[in-house]
Amino acid sequence: MGAGIVGVLVVAVLAAGVVAAVRETQSSDAPTAQPNAKDGPAPWQRVRQPDFAPAEPVAEMEGLSGPGGGVTGWLGVGTVTDYAAGRRTPVLWSSGDAERWHRANLPTTSAEGSAAAVARRRDRSIAVGTELGRSDREPVLWSSSDGAEWQRVALDVPPGDQALSLTAAGARGFAVAGTSHLADVVAPLLFTSLDGIAWRAVDTGPASAFGPTATITALAVGADGMVAVGAVGADTEDGAIWFSADGVGWQSVPLAATGSGPGDQRFTSVAMSRTGLVAAGVDERTGREAPMVWHSPDGRAWERRPPDNALGFGAGNNSVGVSI
């Protein structure tokens, strides 16, 4: 898909034409001036101005994994954008104490790449991100046995524009997810692995357990299996949870009426706890955004806690994340 305008910042109408400052994806995150003649459908022309971009490279950390679950130290992933050179590089930060950090580039074959999430289990670390290919975005998965040397993992991806942005690791292995765009069809992109080395693509098509309108927003892996949470629906959204005991066969988990109904409901995060799993999200059944939290002992059966919009955060508040 390449670069795309995602927001118009300001527009000025002049006698000689129109000038618009816009924000782009992929090729540059810096504002760009775009003039256009007022007479006729003249094409827009890009005005390249070095002063529009930061003079120094900008680093952004997108994902972080801390100690626990048999691993020590810290790993972070993100992107360093060099506006002057026109390059975005996926990078990794590592630290033993969260105070002193070392940065290294992740292997990439593109001048436009980014890393979004990282997960670890025992002696295996994985990270996911996106690269700009010849015409579309391409998902990237990196794997490491020591957190220092990283290798790209070949994935069986469908045609179209794809991105990976979610990771999870646990007793049953690893899961990564993102989105796939082909023509006007948007579908989840999901891969699972027992060891972080060999990966299997999960069927997320219209006839699968995910259905034709699914969106995956978070993943968790535990002793009983793997869980994906998100939403389903085109015009309105209903909260959705999917479970797999082995990472291969997936099923949609039935939820009580408080997970659907008027307005939008959607899950935004899920995490393992000592008593099972906790999923958090947003409920708009009353016309206002309210937080919702669900609990499951095993990922198969879920119960809302409390069973209605009564978490006590006040009207207009919502839940966007949970961490145990």
Side-chain angles (χ1 to χ4, degrees):
M1 183 169 62
I5 295 175
V6 296
V8 178
L9 304 180
V10 64
V11 177
V13 180
L14 309 173
V18 180
V19 174
V22 303
R23 183 173 297 279
E24 284 189 330
T25 61
Q26 296 299 325
S27 62
S28 174
D29 284 336
T32 304
Q34 302 276 358
N36 188 33
K38 68 174 182 177
D39 297 324
W44 288 86
Q45 297 177 348
R46 180 172 182 143
V47 176
R48 297 192 177 274
Q49 170 55 258
D51 290 339
F52 289 156
E56 300 294 331
V58 177
E60 298 175 276
M61 185 179 290
E62 301 290 344
L64 183 65
S65 174
V71 298
T72 60
W74 297 78
L75 287 181
V77 296
T79 307
V80 172
T81 304
D82 188 335
Y83 293 100
R87 186 176 184 87
R88 301 181 72 229
T89 304
V91 297
L92 170 90
W93 290 272
S94 59
S95 173
D97 56 10
E99 295 184 3
R100 294 173 295 274
W101 292 80
H102 171 72
R103 191 180 81 192
N105 293 347
L106 289 167
T108 181
T109 60
S110 171
E112 293 290 342
S114 61
V118 61
R120 297 181 292 166
R121 175 177 175 264
R122 296 179 181 171
D123 60 351
R124 181 60 52 177
S125 302
I126 62 166
V128 298
T130 306
E131 287 182 347
L132 181 62
R134 293 184 177 180
S135 60
D136 296 302
R137 294 180 303 167
E138 298 176 354
V140 185
L141 191 153
W142 296 274
S143 180
S144 173
S145 60
D146 58 8
E149 298 294 329
W150 291 76
Q151 295 80 37
R152 293 163 59 95
V153 177
L155 296 174
D156 182 16
V157 298
D161 178 85
Q162 296 101 16
L164 286 174
S165 58
L166 304 172
T167 61
R172 287 298 180 98
F174 299 83
V176 301
T179 56
S180 175
H181 299 252
L182 181 60
D184 294 330
V185 178
V186 180
L189 195 63
L190 179 60
F191 298 88
T192 61
S193 173
L194 292 177
D195 56 11
I197 301 174
W199 291 82
R200 178 193 296 266
V202 176
D203 180 12
T204 57
S208 72
F210 295 87
T213 61
T215 301
I216 296 176
T217 57
L219 300 167
V221 179
D224 294 306
M226 300 181 177
V227 170
V229 303
V232 294
D235 298 327
T236 61
E237 293 180 315
D238 288 331
I241 298 177
W242 300 272
F243 174 80
S244 174
D246 57 8
V248 179
W250 287 76
Q251 64 188 55
S252 177
V253 178
L255 298 177
T258 50
S260 61
D264 290 340
Q265 298 83 36
R266 56 188 175 275
F267 289 101
T268 55
S269 61
V270 62
M272 297 295 304
S273 75
R274 287 174 293 181
T275 60
L277 296 103
V278 177
V282 179
D283 186 350
E284 299 180 9
R285 285 182 300 129
T286 62
R288 296 183 178 182
E289 288 190 345
M292 65 176 185
V293 175
W294 291 66
H295 176 265
S296 171
D298 56 10
R300 295 177 175 87
W302 291 79
E303 181 181 8
R304 186 162 179 172
R305 303 280 183 88
D308 52 26
N309 296 337
L311 281 176
F313 296 136
N317 291 282
N318 56 55
S319 178
V320 296
V322 58
S323 177
I324 305 297

